[in-house]
Amino acid sequence: MNRETGEHRHPLYEELAAIVGEEHVSDREIDRYAYIRTPSWVLGRVPGLVVKPADAQQVSEIMKLANRTKTPVIPRGGGASLGGFPLSDEVERSILIDLARLNRILFIDHENMVVGAECGVSLSHLSTEVGKKKLHIHTVDIPQYADSLGGVLSGFNGGGCPSDYATTGEAFHFLLGLEVVLPSGEILTTGAGSGTNIKQAQAADRTPGSPDMTGMFVGDAGVFGIKTKAYLKLYPRAASLAYGAFAFEDFEAMKAVFWKLMETDPLYYTRLVAIKPQWRDTWSLFYVIRDAEELVRFKADRLAALCTEGGGEKVTNELARKIISSFSGRQLGKSYASRGKFLYFEHPMKKGEAVDYFLRQEAFLDRRFKEAGVEGLITDRVRYLVPKERHMILVGDLVFWDVTTLSAEQVERLARISHEEAEHVLENGGFLEQHQGLETRISASYWSEAYRAFMKSIKKALDPNHILNPGLWRL
Amino acid sequence: MDHLLREKFGVYRCDGFGICRGGYHFKVSPCPMFVGSDGFESHTPRGVITIARGILEGSLAYTKEIADLVYRCTMCGNCRLLCGAEYEDGGPMIDPAGVLLAMRADLVENSLVPPPVRDFFKNVHRYGNPFGEPAEERGKWGEGLGLEEYEDHDYLFYVGCEGSYDERGKRMAVALSRLMALGGVSFGILGEKELCEGNEVRMSGETGLFQWLADRLVLRFTERGVRRIVTLSPHAYNAFRNDYPALAGGCEVVHYTQLLRDLLRAGRLRPLRELGARVTYHDPCFLGRRNEEYDAPREILRALQGADLIEMPRTREDSLCCGGGGGNFFTDMLGGGENSPSRMRVREAHGTGAQVLVVACPVCAKMFEDAAAAEGLDGALAVRDVSEVLLQCCSG
Ligand SMILES: Cc1cc2nc3c(=O)[nH]c(=O)nc-3n(C[C@H](O)[C@H](O)[C@H](O)COP(=O)(O)OP(=O)(O)OC[C@H]3O[C@@H](n4cnc5c(N)ncnc54)[C@H](O)[C@@H]3O)c2cc1C
């Protein structure tokens, strides 16, 4: 039994144990305490109790109990998001719902190319299982090893960047529908489920006869409901892959090729990154192409021709791997830990304005680092441009510091620069996505009055007792 | 919390990402502490590091519950690998097991260790072995084999506590002795002069007792002029290789699978009889992940005629711990049950269609034999040691 013996005994322990079974609920201090950690720089507050339901029905009963007693509820997936944690005093008596037991893959429907799964399932497990059938889902890149399906749909713009972001956009475009437990405890199915005018248990599309209410729950940080099931489109897994990089002496020349690639039809790259690590003098265009074997060859040849014509020079695959590893995959985790904390500036911008904007942001950062006297402490820096389909470019500047050499005051100064940078983005016509590192509270502080009022009215309608993730998005 | 303070850097370097909690492509986490638990975050490496941070910052204090928690870890090292947070030179950066070890050392110093751990230390200190058996019984396993006490042999066969006292381990020690004799290896044992090498003692945070054991063993080795040691257990192999600086340079340490591989390569062992079985091999944590020896046992199995080697999905560095490391073999802090790592692992082994689960560690052998029985796999999955299957194929 995971029952607290000291003074902190949660008043709802028995009732929750009756719902989920005693071994799946704990109000022991160590069990509660462990949940305050996410990758956010801000630690969470210790929840009052942790419960691990087995299915949507149990989640619903927990929500009904929480409503009756006006107890705050915090859903939790992989705990890998940087979106923040409710921080009010109320958290002390909250119920944290750890969704890890909702980990069943419901079906992999090869014929109709749909997969259904419970939302506590880990993304890596889900993508491995569909991969065994030579199928593919669009998931996030590195954090798939930590993220849950429900967490990724709730956090970071609802699914953020799959590795083929350049051609496919955000992962939530591939979401067909959800089962959600509303704050009231009601279980609702949207889109591809049977919630609207669909008589079949399973519909095939996201908008069968209603506005796109699935989208309302995407990227909500779990303030509107708790996702318990999700239905995703499946794609054939590409049989073949090619990767490489071309180096350009001249930034403008690279930009011209980059633009041409973004405009070319049909889409012929899967991933494209213009990248300049600190240890290289030149910019490189890195690509990964995934497709059928003959198409990969065809696309790679065309890409090579365009790059060479535009003044690019092919680098060895080993060097290409080294260049990209300063920024992607598990390497990011490695660099992060070995070189210390990073400041991650990454913002989407309209394609036509992205480069000028990027150069302005870069100059701003250079100036601020210099003024703050911390520029000499940078251990590594990676600048990059990543297309987001055809219309946008993500401009990024990833700056590493060796934490061992930073004083508390310098850390403080860096945090200030991070905030000033956000202001600068807005002044420059950019916008702040809830992108790696940006708390929902920070994003929401830039909402207009009208938008805030609109969001508040939705929240109030769905969650009149204000119990689900209170305080996130400043709601 | 002196020890934890020294590990502060590791605690604060954890980025809270939680990869150590997941399991890459597996539905189930590879962390033995987590899989066998009720599944709360506290039982993940990230959770323990968070608790350690709480202790450092004064929000939490060491309690019996924390002691029970940290002694569940088997020190398998899977979390360190999953974290991927390594220095560019390849050395480990964030080692959750290192943080746990520091917490254990603090608990030892504050006399807060759980009773089974306390008894384990007591036995080692009083009898020189965790089983609480008399030292005079130590060499009895080899009676009738004509073994010699080490004098000027090529190898000292360090049998270890499991090989000396545990029935399962003894069978392995016998098989290995026979093989070495067959291969013409000149070796001797220490018999009742042998002493626990203390790997599990160190892994349980009792650094003082470990040092006490190590000093005595090193003295016995040097008095006898030992130049080469072959160990039965990967745990002893790990300790001698990594935690006995006094042995470095002057004394070569090998695990028995490495010696047997060399004997096969040199043609000094000839496995002429067919094994005729589908086998799968389990990488022990202290041989594989911690000391990167994955190939020697496999090379031996591949040399056997009629041994069809099938890999389990989690293999080599992904291998799932048997649950016996970090002192758990003796203290059983992890506990049994359907979701215990050993039972999960025998189910995985059985799932490959193998008839034999081959191991290279006396701890794994015992853990899996018990688990196979608990799973009702007695007739369907035999648990054999590399030396046992090789001996079967070598004997005329
Ligand atoms: C170093 C780093 C790199 C990253 N890189 C990428 C990347 O390349 N691409 C990308 O897309 N993302 C990336 N991310 C972001 C990460 O994928 C998201 O933050 C994701 O939301 C985490 O999922 P989770 O399961 O851990 O969610 P959690 O952290 O558990 O939860 C996130 C939020 O959603 C809520 N929530 C969780 N589960 C549910 C549910 N079932 N229903 C309702 N609400 C729920 C929580 O209350 C919380 O507010 C990165 C993060 C880090 C730290």
Side-chain angles (χ1 to χ4, degrees):
Chain A
M1 187 162 85
N2 306 303
R3 188 72 169 112
E4 175 70 41
T5 45
E7 59 195 48
H8 180 100
R9 293 169 73 95
H10 199 280
L12 300 179
Y13 182 94
E14 270 83 18
E15 279 170 275
L16 287 164
I19 296 171
V20 297
E22 199 145 45
E23 67 272 37
H24 303 302
V25 54
S26 175
D27 61 357
R28 293 196 314 171
E29 188 177 36
I30 54 167
D31 291 335
R32 295 182 288 115
Y33 194 88
Y35 285 92
I36 67 173
R37 189 79 174 99
T38 66
S40 169
W41 284 35
V42 185
L43 285 184
R45 292 192 65 157
V46 187
L49 172 144
V50 184
V51 60
K52 298 190 70 188
D55 53 30
Q57 200 53 46
Q58 290 187 357
V59 175
S60 158
E61 287 175 48
I62 295 166
M63 288 313 295
K64 284 179 185 158
L65 173 65
N67 254 300
R68 241 187 4 255
T69 54
K70 298 200 172 43
T71 311
V73 171
I74 303 166
R76 168 88 163 206
S81 124
L82 299 120
F85 199 91
L87 292 174
S88 75
D89 291 345
E90 287 284 274
V91 174
E92 272 175 32
R93 41 179 216 95
S94 67
I95 301 170
L96 185 142
I97 305 186
D98 182 333
L99 291 151
R101 285 177 72 214
L102 277 79
N103 62 5
R104 284 161 285 245
I105 295 175
L106 304 168
F107 58 83
I108 300 174
D109 180 349
H110 202 145
E111 187 178 11
N112 295 302
M113 299 298 268
V114 182
V115 57
E118 291 185 322
C119 281
V121 73
S122 91
L123 278 182
S124 54
H125 174 60
L126 186 58
S127 70
T128 305
E129 288 305 304
V130 302
K132 284 181 188 164
K133 297 184 190 301
K134 300 213 170 359
L135 296 167
H136 168 74
I137 49 165
H138 292 265
T139 72
V140 293
D141 199 357
I142 349 166
Q144 63 160 309
Y145 301 118
D147 289 3
S148 67
L149 176 58
V152 86
L153 291 169
S154 308
F156 187 20
N157 289 347
C161 316
S163 53
D164 41 12
Y165 196 53
T167 39
T168 59
E170 274 106 341
F172 71 81
H173 296 308
F174 308 96
L175 173 64
L176 286 168
L178 289 168
E179 179 189 81
V180 186
V181 178
L182 297 175
S184 61
E186 207 124 325
I187 303 176
L188 179 80
T189 311
T190 70
S194 54
T196 57
N197 59 9
I198 307 300
K199 294 284 177 251
Q200 288 177 318
Q202 198 59 55
D205 206 4
R206 175 142 158 193
T207 52
S210 96
D212 177 16
M213 298 317 281
T214 302
M216 189 177 88
F217 296 98
V218 165
D220 71 338
V223 296
F224 293 151
I226 300 182
K227 297 162 193 71
T228 44
K229 289 187 187 123
Y231 306 95
L232 306 167
K233 290 187 217 174
L234 285 169
Y235 289 80
R237 179 153 285 206
S240 192
L241 174 148
Y243 69 91
F246 286 82
F248 292 80
E249 289 296 327
D250 177 31
F251 179 80
E252 285 302 319
M254 186 215 60
K255 186 187 148 190
V257 175
F258 191 77
W259 258 231
K260 223 180 265 176
L261 287 168
M262 276 185 79
E263 282 156 12
T264 313
D265 246 345
L267 298 175
Y268 65 83
Y269 52 85
T270 315
R271 178 176 212 175
L272 188 65
V273 183
I275 179 167
K276 185 181 172 305
Q278 178 155 288
W279 53 272
R280 296 262 303 163
D281 293 334
T282 51
W283 278 81
S284 304
L285 272 185
F286 175 86
Y287 65 91
V288 182
I289 299 168
R290 290 191 179 85
D291 215 320
E293 203 182 329
E294 61 279 18
L295 290 177
V296 166
R297 233 175 300 128
F298 169 73
K299 292 171 180 184
D301 288 349
R302 278 195 58 185
L303 185 135
L306 265 176
C307 285
T308 324
E309 243 168 61
E313 199 169 312
K314 189 153 172 53
V315 305
T316 63
N317 273 6
E318 198 186 329
L319 182 57
R321 264 203 313 274
K322 190 166 174 224
I323 291 171
I324 198 65
S325 74
S326 15
F327 146 90
S328 78
R330 271 182 96 197
Q331 286 297 336
L332 180 58
K334 274 192 187 179
S335 324
Y336 180 36
S338 60
R339 281 176 259 167
K341 301 287 178 203
F342 58 72
L343 285 186
Y344 205 163
F345 306 109
E346 188 181 75
H347 308 291
M349 190 61 194
K350 279 181 276 187
K351 177 176 163 241
E353 295 166 27
V355 166
D356 287 347
Y357 165 81
F358 171 73
L359 295 174
R360 278 201 303 277
Q361 282 303 115
E362 191 187 35
F364 167 81
L365 281 177
D366 287 344
R367 200 173 58 246
R368 295 297 294 116
F369 290 148
K370 202 168 182 182
E371 284 162 11
V374 290
E375 75 179 335
L377 301 172
I378 297 174
T379 53
D380 209 348
R381 191 163 173 186
V382 189
R383 282 104 162 162
Y384 58 89
L385 307 170
V386 179
K388 176 175 173 180
E389 299 174 77
R390 315 298 183 86
H391 60 302
M392 302 288 287
I393 290 181
L394 280 184
V395 305
D397 197 341
L398 178 55
V399 193
F400 289 98
W401 314 86
D402 184 347
V403 278
T404 54
T405 60
L406 291 183
S407 67
E409 195 223 340
Q410 283 166 327
V411 170
E412 182 73 12
R413 258 188 263 163
L414 288 175
R416 261 204 316 272
I417 294 176
S418 179
H419 278 267
E420 287 164 9
E421 199 265 355
E423 299 280 354
H424 196 254
V425 167
L426 298 173
E427 276 164 27
N428 263 300
F431 60 93
L432 300 169
E433 274 192 340
Q434 191 205 338
H435 241 95
Q436 292 136 328
L438 202 56
E439 286 225 356
T440 55
R441 272 175 287 261
I442 300 180
S443 302
S445 64
Y446 297 104
W447 287 353
S448 72
E449 277 313 308
Y451 197 75
R452 187 187 317 284
F454 171 67
M455 293 295 281
K456 281 200 158 168
S457 64
I458 299 176
K459 174 74 174 163
K460 192 152 188 205
L462 287 172
D463 186 7
N465 289 321
H466 204 252
I467 54 170
L468 195 53
N469 263 340
L472 295 193
W473 299 113
R474 297 182 178 248
L475 292 175
Chain B
M1 55 177 175
D2 286 358
H3 294 274
L4 194 52
L5 266 171
R6 261 174 258 143
E7 244 339 285
K8 191 173 175 179
F9 191 65
V11 173
Y12 283 89
R13 269 286 166 95
C14 167
D15 59 16
F17 210 179
I19 287 186
C20 53
R21 173 184 189 274
Y24 278 90
H25 301 289
F26 306 104
K27 183 171 181 177
V28 184
S29 158
C31 171
M33 184 167 68
F34 189 47
V35 288
S37 74
D38 287 339
F40 294 106
E41 176 77 20
S42 50
H43 288 64
T44 67
R46 174 177 64 179
V48 176
I49 292 185
T50 305
I51 289 168
R53 185 165 163 176
I55 292 170
L56 284 172
E57 291 173 1
S59 321
L60 295 174
Y62 282 117
T63 57
K64 176 185 170 309
E65 281 171 346
I66 291 180
D68 287 349
L69 173 71
V70 300
Y71 276 103
R72 289 171 62 92
C73 170
T74 63
M75 299 282 153
C76 75
N78 229 325
C79 48
R80 179 168 58 171
L81 203 85
L82 286 174
C83 181
E86 293 169 355
Y87 278 125
E88 256 116 62
D89 63 9
M93 181 56 219
I94 298 174
D95 181 6
V99 174
L100 270 135
L101 205 51
M103 293 172 90
R104 288 179 174 187
D106 279 345
L107 289 162
V108 168
E109 260 167 34
N110 293 306
S111 307
L112 273 170
V113 295
V117 181
R118 185 198 55 210
D119 295 345
F120 161 65
F121 291 149
K122 232 188 235 169
N123 280 338
V124 175
H125 191 222
R126 194 173 291 166
Y127 304 102
N129 69 77
F131 294 93
E133 297 286 339
E136 311 82 68
E137 308 268 306
R138 202 167 179 111
K140 285 222 165 125
W141 65 272
E143 278 177 3
L145 292 175
L147 301 182
E148 294 170 3
E149 189 171 329
Y150 182 87
E151 244 174 50
D152 199 17
H153 299 82
D154 285 347
Y155 283 94
L156 167 72
F157 175 22
Y158 179 81
V159 188
C161 300
E162 299 87 11
S164 303
Y165 295 109
D166 177 64
E167 287 311 317
R168 186 66 191 85
K170 284 189 208 174
R171 297 210 304 269
M172 284 174 61
V174 170
L176 178 58
S177 304
R178 292 217 161 104
L179 279 171
M180 288 196 284
L182 264 178
V185 178
S186 138
F187 72 97
I189 59 171
L190 289 182
E192 62 186 60
K193 311 245 172 38
E194 196 184 89
L195 191 66
C196 177
E197 90 290 336
N199 188 63
E200 305 311 281
V201 170
R202 199 184 92 77
M203 293 290 157
S204 300
E206 220 323 356
T207 38
L209 179 54
F210 172 71
Q211 207 47 57
W212 185 86
L213 294 167
D215 289 348
R216 269 150 194 79
L217 258 188
V218 169
L219 189 66
R220 288 173 205 188
F221 292 164
T222 26
E223 277 169 359
R224 288 165 179 76
V226 173
R227 290 176 317 276
R228 283 204 202 110
I229 302 173
V230 55
T231 73
L232 183 69
S233 169
H235 297 248
Y237 174 64
N238 177 69
F240 292 150
R241 225 178 144 215
N242 302 311
D243 301 315
Y244 273 62
L247 294 186
C251 188
E252 184 194 342
V253 183
V254 294
H255 182 248
Y256 80 87
T257 52
Q258 296 166 327
L259 175 63
L260 295 180
R261 176 207 48 204
D262 292 347
L263 293 176
L264 279 170
R265 280 185 187 170
R268 287 165 64 182
L269 286 175
R270 292 177 187 280
L272 298 174
R273 281 179 60 179
E274 280 226 0
L275 185 71
R278 279 191 308 274
V279 302
T280 189
Y281 171 70
H282 164 82
D283 293 276
C285 307
F286 281 90
L287 186 62
R289 245 185 323 267
R290 286 199 175 253
N291 287 293
E292 296 183 359
E293 180 55 88
Y294 300 108
D295 295 327
R298 287 182 170 79
E299 195 175 322
I300 297 169
L301 293 175
R302 289 206 184 92
L304 306 182
Q305 297 173 44
D308 182 7
L309 177 62
I310 318 163
E311 293 287 355
M312 284 184 266
R314 312 192 215 203
T315 186
R316 300 176 73 93
E317 62 268 30
D318 282 333
S319 174
L320 179 69
C321 172
C322 74
N328 265 284
F329 185 70
F330 305 104
T331 61
D332 200 21
M333 293 298 294
L334 203 51
E338 209 182 321
N339 285 329
S340 63
S342 55
R343 287 182 62 178
M344 286 174 72
R345 192 62 168 162
V346 294
R347 289 200 291 269
E348 279 181 20
H350 184 54
T352 62
Q355 298 147 315
V356 184
L357 166 58
V358 182
V359 297
C361 168
V363 171
C364 300
K366 172 80 173 140
M367 296 295 289
F368 291 145
E369 215 162 67
D370 290 352
E375 286 286 315
L377 290 172
D378 284 322
L381 184 75
V383 179
R384 311 282 307 279
D385 176 60
V386 172
S387 59
E388 291 167 346
V389 287
L390 180 58
L391 182 64
Q392 182 185 332
C393 297
C394 286
S395 25

